Amino acid sequence: MSEDLRIRLLAEGDWDAVVALEHDAYAADGLSEGREALRSRALSSPGTCFVLERRGTVCGYLLSLPYPPLHCPDLDRPEAAAYESRNLHVHDLVIAEELRGREVALGFIRHFRSHAEELGFERISMVAVRGADILLRLLGYRAHREVAVPASYGRRAVYMSMPVR
């Protein structure tokens, strides 16, 4: 990761930037959740949600929460409960457009995976949207096509997971 980029835990003052990044990334595809739903996921596991900062400006974020294996949150509903699970579900990862294609996301994912291992999680899962499953396979994720992903993720959504170690 570049010297001018820093990863830290998500803080209360970051929400305007996170909501703006999420909207820019997903609104055109009808996948934007909005502030309430995003916050509900982060509040269930604040120690596993991060932002990427560049010179003091939030330019990316990763929201994750313990979630039962082979299940995922529904984008149409805020999170109502926190789960105890050895599976850490990456609900959302967004990098500002100007930083995409520069291996920034890869560095962010490596940092996250190391943190998940330190916390004792056994698996990491996520739902790949808009064809991201191709990249995730290269990173070691395995598709679970038997998992019914909520329709709110779109037609091409694929549930994926990998062991932490």
Side-chain angles (χ1 to χ4, degrees):
M1 183 108 3
S2 163
E3 288 181 22
D4 64 341
L5 294 173
R6 175 176 90 108
I7 298 169
R8 63 169 174 77
L9 287 173
L10 175 72
E12 187 61 34
D14 297 326
W15 281 107
D16 287 343
V18 167
V19 169
L21 285 164
E22 190 265 357
H23 183 269
D24 289 347
Y26 297 119
D29 294 321
L31 300 175
S32 184
E33 297 177 82
R35 184 181 299 258
E36 180 186 352
L38 290 170
R39 282 181 55 89
S40 74
R41 306 197 203 294
L43 289 172
S44 71
S45 186
T48 62
C49 297
F50 301 92
V51 294
L52 178 66
E53 254 185 353
R54 182 181 186 191
R55 296 183 209 113
T57 300
V58 173
C59 55
Y61 69 91
L62 185 151
L63 302 180
S64 69
L65 61 161
Y67 221 79
L70 306 176
H71 293 84
C72 60
D74 190 327
L75 300 183
D76 288 339
R77 292 192 296 268
E79 212 53 47
Y83 296 95
E84 286 191 34
S85 177
R86 302 310 327 148
N87 181 67
L88 188 56
H89 185 77
V90 176
H91 179 68
D92 205 2
L93 169 62
V94 172
I95 304 294
E97 191 168 343
E98 67 270 11
L99 293 176
R100 294 180 194 156
R102 297 178 28 191
E103 296 193 12
V104 172
L106 186 56
F108 205 171
I109 289 171
R110 284 182 182 139
H111 177 273
F112 170 73
R113 189 172 175 186
S114 175
H115 187 73
E117 184 174 8
E118 288 173 17
L119 293 175
F121 286 96
E122 296 171 1
R123 294 197 72 75
I124 296 172
S125 63
M126 67 175 68
V127 175
V129 296
R130 301 184 309 199
D133 55 306
I134 296 165
L135 173 63
L136 291 173
R137 280 190 194 112
L138 295 173
L139 296 175
Y141 284 83
R142 176 181 164 261
H144 297 276
R145 300 210 182 268
E146 72 277 12
V147 174
V149 175
S152 56
Y153 285 89
R155 288 179 336 144
R156 295 179 51 209
V158 179
Y159 182 93
M160 303 184 81
S161 75
M162 70 179 296
V164 170
R165 289 177 221 165

